[in-house]
Amino acid sequence: LQIIGNKAFYQTNIQKIEIPNNVKEIRENAFSQCHNLQSVEFSEKSKLQFIGDFAFANAKIQTIVIPSHVRSIGKSAFQYCINLQTVEIPDDSELNFIGYSAFCSTKINKLRIPDYLNNKNSDNFLLGMSSLDSIEISPFNKHYTYLDNGILLYRENSENIVYDSLIYADKKVENITIPPYIKEIGSSSFQECSVKNVEFAEDSQCEKIGQHAFKSSQIEKIIIPAQVKIIESYAFYNCKKLQSVDFPEDSKLFSISDNAFCGTSIKEISFPSKVQIIGVQSFSGCKQLQSIEFSEQSELISICDYAFVSSTIKQIVIPSKVKQICGFAFSCCAYLESVEFLDNSECCIIGN
């Protein structure tokens, strides 16, 4: 036996399983929803190389030893294994990839990053590990480093001098200063964190704030660094305590993606002149948002669907270069009394 196929034992009443030595692949959902599965064992001679997406999701295992030849653990492979406290990765592990939220909603409090792990452009594999308080990195791994202030940094090219991506922050950290050499705040890196204050150095090189980066965190205010060009979808979604978002005059920001600030408590916002797109529902549900301002040099082209739904703005001046205001962009803005288009307006589409 070399392969345990998709959903091979899905939703069965298995309580214990010993995986044969010759099995090389455990595929998607193979043991998913086995709510009575408490023990999964591999021998030291295991040839297993691949653990698929959701392979053991919702099992009741308390500990797992990852065989040394495993190279890939798929997304959500152990998600919702709520009794899982220990995952052991041996010193000679060949593991080089861990998928998105692989250990989400487990009780694991310590994780070792082995020699070869290098999640290139992957979504956050540490997402949802609310009990995690210790990260150990193999001295032979040149892609990750863990700083004393509780943030995990990454570099794709091990020959680079600096680690330029921030990919994880300790959930208990309340105040954080982002090193100036960080170019990217990675996907879900601060999601559901206790962080209240985030500061960037004046010479920050940060160019991107990734998807879900601060989603549902306790952040209260932020100054977006001048070099940031894009704020990706859901970056500050449901940050209910976020009241202040500021941009420097020389901001290079050109895109605010879908749902980026949806459900926040922002009271006013002045958009940088280079912003061209305000994404779908990007400020939807911002019920305290009373003031929206654009500069005379605004390069804004599109206000997307539902962008400002249910805000409390009273008036707005549409920048001259805006070509389209999409469907429901200002729907349910009960206090909106004045919408002004400039004489040189290029707007040609106003949606439903």
Side-chain angles (χ1 to χ4, degrees):
L1 180 66
Q2 295 187 347
I3 297 173
I4 299 177
N6 295 355
K7 294 189 175 181
F9 297 95
Y10 179 78
Q11 284 190 338
T12 60
N13 291 318
I14 296 172
Q15 296 182 14
K16 178 180 180 180
I17 188 165
E18 296 180 11
I19 306 296
N21 291 347
N22 290 326
V23 172
K24 292 183 178 181
E25 296 184 24
I26 298 174
R27 292 187 175 172
E28 183 176 337
N29 285 294
F31 296 94
S32 178
Q33 310 300 324
C34 292
H35 298 293
N36 295 316
L37 181 57
Q38 299 181 31
S39 176
V40 178
E41 295 183 2
F42 305 94
S43 78
E44 293 182 0
K45 297 180 181 180
S46 173
K47 296 179 181 179
L48 187 67
Q49 298 178 4
F50 175 82
I51 298 175
D53 299 347
F54 302 94
F56 294 96
N58 292 87
K60 286 191 175 180
I61 53 177
Q62 297 182 18
T63 184
I64 189 82
V65 179
I66 306 297
S68 60
H69 295 301
V70 171
R71 297 176 183 176
S72 176
I73 297 175
K75 68 179 181 182
S76 304
F78 296 92
Q79 179 174 276
Y80 299 123
C81 292
I82 59 175
N83 294 326
L84 182 57
Q85 299 181 31
T86 304
V87 55
E88 295 184 19
I89 301 175
D91 292 340
D92 60 345
S93 173
E94 299 173 14
L95 185 63
N96 60 37
F97 179 83
I98 301 176
Y100 177 72
S101 68
F103 300 100
C104 179
S105 298
T106 62
K107 293 181 180 178
I108 296 169
N109 57 23
K110 182 178 181 180
L111 186 69
R112 180 178 182 274
I113 293 180
D115 299 3
Y116 302 107
L117 190 70
N118 181 16
N119 274 30
K120 297 178 182 178
N121 302 320
S122 171
D123 288 322
N124 197 331
F125 66 95
L126 298 172
L127 178 64
M129 298 183 69
S130 58
S131 298
L132 186 64
D133 57 24
S134 176
I135 296 176
E136 176 188 346
I137 301 174
S138 164
F140 299 103
N141 188 302
K142 304 303 179 183
H143 297 284
Y144 298 89
T145 187
Y146 191 57
L147 303 187
D148 291 339
N149 60 353
I151 57 176
L152 180 66
L153 307 184
Y154 169 76
R155 60 184 178 189
E156 183 174 337
N157 186 347
S158 61
E159 295 182 0
N160 287 348
I161 297 175
V162 299
Y163 297 82
D164 55 4
S165 297
L166 190 159
I167 64 169
Y168 172 81
D170 188 313
K171 301 303 179 192
K172 297 184 290 293
V173 171
E174 292 189 359
N175 302 288
I176 198 82
T177 299
I178 309 297
Y181 47 82
I182 295 299
K183 292 185 177 180
E184 175 183 356
I185 306 299
S187 170
S188 302
S189 50
F190 289 91
Q191 184 170 333
E192 298 180 356
C193 279
S194 299
V195 64
K196 295 180 179 180
N197 300 303
V198 177
E199 294 185 2
F200 292 86
E202 290 186 8
D203 57 344
S204 173
Q205 298 176 35
C206 187
E207 297 178 352
K208 182 173 78 170
I209 298 177
Q211 296 181 21
H212 305 264
F214 293 92
K215 180 181 176 181
S216 300
S217 69
Q218 301 298 309
I219 189 169
E220 297 174 350
K221 61 181 180 179
I222 191 167
I223 299 175
I224 306 295
Q227 300 300 317
V228 171
K229 297 177 181 178
I230 183 169
I231 298 174
E232 293 193 336
S233 58
Y234 294 90
F236 295 91
Y237 179 85
N238 199 38
C239 293
K240 295 181 179 179
K241 295 185 178 181
L242 180 60
Q243 297 185 19
S244 174
V245 178
D246 292 313
F247 306 91
E249 290 185 5
D250 58 344
S251 173
K252 295 182 180 180
L253 184 69
F254 71 86
S255 178
I256 299 175
S257 300
D258 300 350
N259 294 281
F261 294 96
C262 178
T264 62
S265 296
I266 297 171
K267 296 180 178 180
E268 60 182 17
I269 191 160
S270 180
F271 290 97
S273 61
K274 294 187 180 299
V275 171
Q276 295 183 14
I277 299 173
I278 298 176
V280 174
Q281 291 189 316
S282 50
F283 294 88
S284 174
C286 294
K287 296 182 178 180
Q288 297 187 45
L289 181 58
Q290 299 180 16
S291 174
I292 299 172
E293 293 185 1
F294 301 96
S295 74
E296 293 182 2
Q297 294 77 37
S298 175
E299 298 177 13
L300 186 66
I301 295 173
S302 179
I303 301 175
C304 295
D305 301 81
Y306 303 95
F308 295 98
V309 165
S310 299
S311 69
T312 53
I313 57 173
K314 295 182 179 179
Q315 59 184 14
I316 187 169
V317 178
I318 306 297
S320 61
K321 292 185 179 180
V322 170
K323 289 181 169 56
Q324 61 177 352
I325 300 173
C326 298
F328 301 93
F330 296 94
S331 176
C332 300
C333 292
Y335 296 91
L336 182 58
E337 298 175 346
S338 172
V339 179
E340 180 180 348
F341 291 88
L342 302 177
D343 292 339
N344 58 343
S345 173
E346 298 177 16
C347 188
C348 56
I349 297 175
I350 297 178
N352 294 342

